[in-house]
Amino acid sequence: MNAFRYECLASDGAARLGRISTAHGEIRTPAFMPVGTVGTVKAMTPEAVRATGADIILGNTYHLMLRPGAERVARLGGLHRFMNWPGPILTDSGGFQVMSLSELRKLDETGVTFRSHLDGSRQHLTPERSVEIQRLLDATITMQLDECVAHPAPEADAERAMRLSLRWAERCRTAFSERDGYALFGIVQGSTYPSLRAESAQRLREIGFDGYAVGGLAVGEGQEAMFATLEATVPHLPRTAPRYLMGVGTPSDILGAVERGIDMFDCVLPTRSGRTGQAFTRRGPVNIRNARHAEDPRPLDEACRCPACRNHSRAYLHHLVKAKEILGSVLLTWHNLTYFQDLMDDLRGGIGAGRLATVAAGLRETWALGDIPPA
Amino acid sequence: MNAFRYECLASDGAARLGRISTAHGEIRTPAFMPVGTVGTVKAMTPEAVRATGADIILGNTYHLMLRPGAERVARLGGLHRFMNWPGPILTDSGGFQVMSLSELRKLDETGVTFRSHLDGSRQHLTPERSVEIQRLLDATITMQLDECVAHPAPEADAERAMRLSLRWAERCRTAFSERDGYALFGIVQGSTYPSLRAESAQRLREIGFDGYAVGGLAVGEGQEAMFATLEATVPHLPRTAPRYLMGVGTPSDILGAVERGIDMFDCVLPTRSGRTGQAFTRRGPVNIRNARHAEDPRPLDEACRCPACRNHSRAYLHHLVKAKEILGSVLLTWHNLTYFQDLMDDLRGGIGAGRLATVAAGLRETWALGDIPPA
């Protein structure tokens, strides 16, 4: 078995080119993790997800614990086998979605009690149970249970939640079973308050984790505040471990976060947008539902290698989305995930060559051009 | 350019092994045509449809004329280019769906007037306009406009509709532009009345078509009456042209119709069922939603070559369908279309080897076994 290991292969300013070795294979960083909510990256076969260039996907503990259930997934050989994704999988702790999706939720020192949004059943999620569920799922990377406050949060609330998250971090560290090639990540909290972030990061380092996530961002604070918070947080994280910015984001968010030293990302944006007709292209976002595309024979993004762009016109994609055809969701999701992976590849190439600034300027310039003129 | 040509390569009883040459490639018969309702075989990329073994697909004139519109498809280079299916396409006339889907429909000698189910707009479909739409779509095989009566129909109603369909057949014949490798098919009507069917077939032969369809079946008359009607119809059709049983059907329907001399089929069953959790297997139908599959690690059909069976368990498919995941629809559609194409391949092999009876007995015996016992 391989140890879980992060190697920094090159750096360019704060940005890092790296490689994470895991029990389920390697992850090239900076990495974008497609979200496989409930055992599937929505609308994609696992083979197609792999073909977009993804090394690792994310699974949602909240969804999987309710259906099909962690014990059932374990009896079926774990999430890798269940969904036929042999590569690395990171699972979140479930806490974030308990707070956003469930009913009658109540948080105390022990954990969080809630009712399932599916059947109303009463559930109790503690740091120990979250770690146990993630072990049952056979997650390559387990995330600690934490409390993420809404934005804006008064400093006292942010401090209380950050300290609770630290106590839960210790309990997760204790509950986690060490296995070769598997990892447990801690999560830095503290809203947009630099001193809270610094304290959270330093305390987590003292507990000791295989990787460090920055949580509680992309919750409405805006890009400027997010970047400022990263600048106040990343210098307090160890150079020897991967850094993961949770739930982020747009291509521009990702670029700015990579420039500030982040190695891993996840976001539903490419998949969710793919099901509503929103495409990400080298020239910025395109709403394929717009009537201007109805007779446009050109590809969505002529530089893209995905099947939506190689085999189909904007006119056809427009038609599929307007007609609510499943193939529209499939093709736009495929495109968006391909675009995000190609973006990560460009960033990795830029860092490796020591010319990230040039790559970044080129990306921003092309995004700013906006979509190609109508046909 | 190639002429449109049917060749009978072998026969076994009334069953025929054949090949149809068209402007867009060859069709091995007996053939099953997946239904590509509105420019897409639902939930499938065209590459995946081709990989199941389909030589030809069907498009629905009614849907396409309303959205995106025949003239728009023509401006975009025709349906083949629009949906990226370079192979043969058969389009129906639109008449059947006008009667089943539209509102305020009114039929007279000129054609049928109706309101679109999408926007309520008033539409008039005549034999000439139906042929024109199918030309604009660039259909390889154009179907005449006909009137299909509901079942049961009094003989007088069936006779009136059959005679109207014959007058429309003549008008379609006149309106159709001959092009190398393209074809126009007539449609035999007459409900379950043998004398009406015989008259319809003979009159259509006199008009002269490139192929002959049997319409107005699989509308509730039951398999026995359907087979009896085929036996009363097929002997009146020319040996030199393909015979197409419209809207049929189950694997058992297809087998019985092939034994009675039918060469072509279309049905929404494999695609529609694929979106509701119904799978067709070598051991008969399986409802993957059933709780017995929830922890079954075995493939849906261990003899099947499709991605659902090669890469995934029944437990996973069960989960996807219960969670209403798009991938569930994708994988079960893929499986069902693969099963139908493999069935056609078995039938073609049986006819070619002069042992269709043995192949048919084997198929029926295995269907009757029912699903594998619970794990």
Side-chain angles (χ1 to χ4, degrees), chain A residues 190-199 228-229 232-233 236:
Chain A
S191 187
T192 51
Y193 302 101
S195 63
L196 296 184
R197 289 283 176 180
E199 180 184 344
T229 304
T233 306
H236 299 283

Side-chain angles (χ1 to χ4, degrees), chain B residues 189-373:
Chain B
Q189 287 291 354
S191 187
T192 52
Y193 303 102
S195 63
L196 296 184
R197 288 283 177 181
E199 180 184 343
S200 176
Q202 285 157 0
R203 289 282 308 282
L204 288 171
R205 287 181 71 163
E206 290 162 23
I207 300 169
F209 288 91
D210 305 299
Y212 296 83
V214 184
L217 289 178
V219 291
E221 75 282 358
Q223 193 183 69
E224 200 179 336
M226 180 171 80
F227 288 166
T229 304
L230 289 181
E231 288 164 14
T233 305
V234 170
H236 299 284
L237 297 175
R239 294 182 167 278
T240 52
R243 305 155 183 165
Y244 160 33
L245 178 56
M246 303 182 77
V248 172
T250 65
S252 163
D253 289 341
I254 289 173
L255 171 54
V258 164
E259 290 174 321
R260 288 162 178 84
I262 295 295
D263 306 304
M264 299 167 71
F265 300 88
D266 80 283
C267 192
V268 295
L269 197 61
T271 39
R272 183 170 294 167
S273 300
R275 300 194 302 282
T276 59
Q278 172 91 350
F280 294 89
T281 77
R282 281 158 182 76
R283 293 181 60 152
V286 169
N287 183 350
I288 201 70
R289 301 180 63 90
N290 194 299
R292 64 163 278 196
H293 307 299
E295 295 203 6
D296 193 332
R298 297 171 300 179
L300 185 52
D301 184 337
E302 66 175 16
C304 182
R305 62 188 166 87
C306 85
C309 294
R310 278 189 291 106
N311 302 337
H312 299 289
S313 64
R314 289 175 174 226
Y316 184 63
L317 298 172
H318 170 85
H319 165 70
L320 292 177
V321 171
K322 295 287 278 186
K324 299 187 171 64
E325 285 289 343
I326 288 175
L327 185 59
S329 295
V330 168
L331 289 174
L332 286 180
T333 301
W334 205 324
H335 168 77
N336 283 343
L337 287 178
T338 302
Y339 176 74
F340 271 62
Q341 294 300 340
D342 285 353
L343 172 65
M344 304 317 290
D345 211 45
D346 286 347
L347 298 179
R348 288 190 297 261
I351 301 167
R355 50 189 293 282
L356 179 61
T358 310
V359 169
L363 288 168
R364 291 188 172 106
E365 202 171 295
T366 321
W367 290 333
L369 288 174
D371 194 14
I372 50 177

Side-chain angles (χ1 to χ4, degrees), chain A residues 51-96:
Chain A
T52 66
D55 291 336
I56 174 172
I57 60 172
L58 179 143
N60 285 131
T61 285
Y62 172 81
H63 289 288
L64 291 162
M65 71 184 279
L66 298 180
R67 182 172 59 191
E71 278 74 9
R72 174 168 288 168
V73 172
R75 284 192 294 273
L76 289 162
L79 190 54
H80 303 269
R81 182 181 292 184
F82 182 60
M83 65 185 292
N84 195 34
W85 174 268
I89 299 177
L90 179 148
T91 49
D92 61 13
S93 69
F96 185 82

Side-chain angles (χ1 to χ4, degrees), chain A residues 323-341:
Chain A
K324 300 186 171 62
E325 285 289 343
I326 289 175
L327 185 58
S329 296
V330 169
L331 289 175
L332 286 181
T333 300
W334 206 322
H335 168 77
N336 283 344
L337 287 178
T338 302
Y339 176 73
F340 272 63
Q341 294 300 340

Side-chain angles (χ1 to χ4, degrees), chain B residues 27-104:
Chain B
I27 306 160
R28 296 163 293 167
T29 65
F32 180 80
M33 303 183 281
V35 177
T37 314
V38 55
T40 156
V41 175
K42 287 184 188 293
M44 297 283 286
T45 64
E47 297 74 33
V49 174
R50 179 67 200 148
T52 66
D55 291 336
I56 174 172
I57 60 171
L58 180 143
N60 285 131
T61 286
Y62 172 82
H63 289 288
L64 291 163
M65 71 184 278
L66 298 179
R67 182 173 57 192
E71 279 75 9
R72 173 167 288 169
V73 172
R75 284 192 295 272
L76 289 161
L79 189 54
H80 303 270
R81 182 181 293 184
F82 183 60
M83 66 185 290
N84 195 35
W85 174 268
I89 299 176
L90 179 148
T91 48
D92 62 11
S93 69
F96 185 83
Q97 271 144 349
V98 166
M99 301 313 282
S100 59
L101 293 180
S102 72
E103 289 164 10
L104 296 173

Side-chain angles (χ1 to χ4, degrees), chain B residues 146-206:
Chain B
D146 63 338
E147 183 189 357
C148 171
V149 292
H151 181 85
E155 186 162 359
D157 290 357
E159 183 172 351
R160 184 201 53 72
M162 181 272 280
R163 291 191 197 287
L164 178 66
S165 296
L166 284 171
R167 293 193 295 278
W168 286 359
E170 293 199 61
R171 287 167 58 187
C172 287
R173 178 77 273 175
T174 304
F176 181 73
S177 322
E178 298 283 349
R179 286 150 292 159
D180 270 353
Y182 288 74
L184 175 67
F185 280 23
I187 303 176
V188 179
Q189 287 291 354
S191 187
T192 52
Y193 303 102
S195 63
L196 296 184
R197 288 283 177 181
E199 180 184 343
S200 176
Q202 285 157 0
R203 289 282 308 282
L204 288 171
R205 287 181 71 163
E206 290 162 23

Side-chain angles (χ1 to χ4, degrees), chain A residues 51-229:
Chain A
T52 66
D55 291 336
I56 174 172
I57 60 172
L58 179 143
N60 285 131
T61 285
Y62 172 81
H63 289 288
L64 291 162
M65 71 184 279
L66 298 180
R67 182 172 59 191
E71 278 74 9
R72 174 168 288 168
V73 172
R75 284 192 294 273
L76 289 162
L79 190 54
H80 303 269
R81 182 181 292 184
F82 182 60
M83 65 185 292
N84 195 34
W85 174 268
I89 299 177
L90 179 148
T91 49
D92 61 13
S93 69
F96 185 82
Q97 272 145 348
V98 166
M99 300 314 281
S100 58
L101 293 179
S102 72
E103 289 163 10
L104 294 173
R105 55 193 181 270
K106 187 173 158 293
L107 184 140
D108 62 22
E109 185 67 30
T110 65
V112 55
T113 306
F114 62 98
R115 289 197 182 277
S116 159
H117 73 288
L118 292 178
D119 63 4
S121 62
R122 191 170 177 282
Q123 306 277 340
H124 190 53
L125 191 65
T126 62
E128 292 76 14
R129 176 62 181 158
S130 175
V131 167
E132 182 184 27
I133 290 171
Q134 295 179 75
R135 185 184 55 72
L136 288 164
L137 296 173
D138 197 30
T140 316
I141 300 177
T142 292
M143 299 301 301
Q144 73 149 98
L145 188 67
D146 63 338
E147 183 190 355
C148 171
V149 292
H151 180 85
E155 185 160 2
D157 290 358
E159 183 172 352
R160 185 202 51 74
M162 181 272 280
R163 292 192 196 287
L164 177 67
S165 296
L166 285 171
R167 293 191 296 278
W168 286 0
E170 294 197 59
R171 287 166 58 187
C172 288
R173 177 79 273 176
T174 304
F176 181 74
S177 322
E178 298 283 349
R179 286 150 291 158
D180 269 352
Y182 288 74
L184 175 66
F185 280 24
I187 304 177
V188 179
Q189 288 290 355
S191 187
T192 51
Y193 302 101
S195 63
L196 296 184
R197 289 283 176 180
E199 180 184 344
S200 177
Q202 284 157 1
R203 291 281 309 281
L204 289 171
R205 288 181 73 163
E206 289 163 23
I207 300 170
F209 288 91
D210 306 298
Y212 296 83
V214 184
L217 290 178
V219 291
E221 74 282 358
Q223 194 183 68
E224 199 179 338
M226 180 171 80
F227 287 167
T229 304

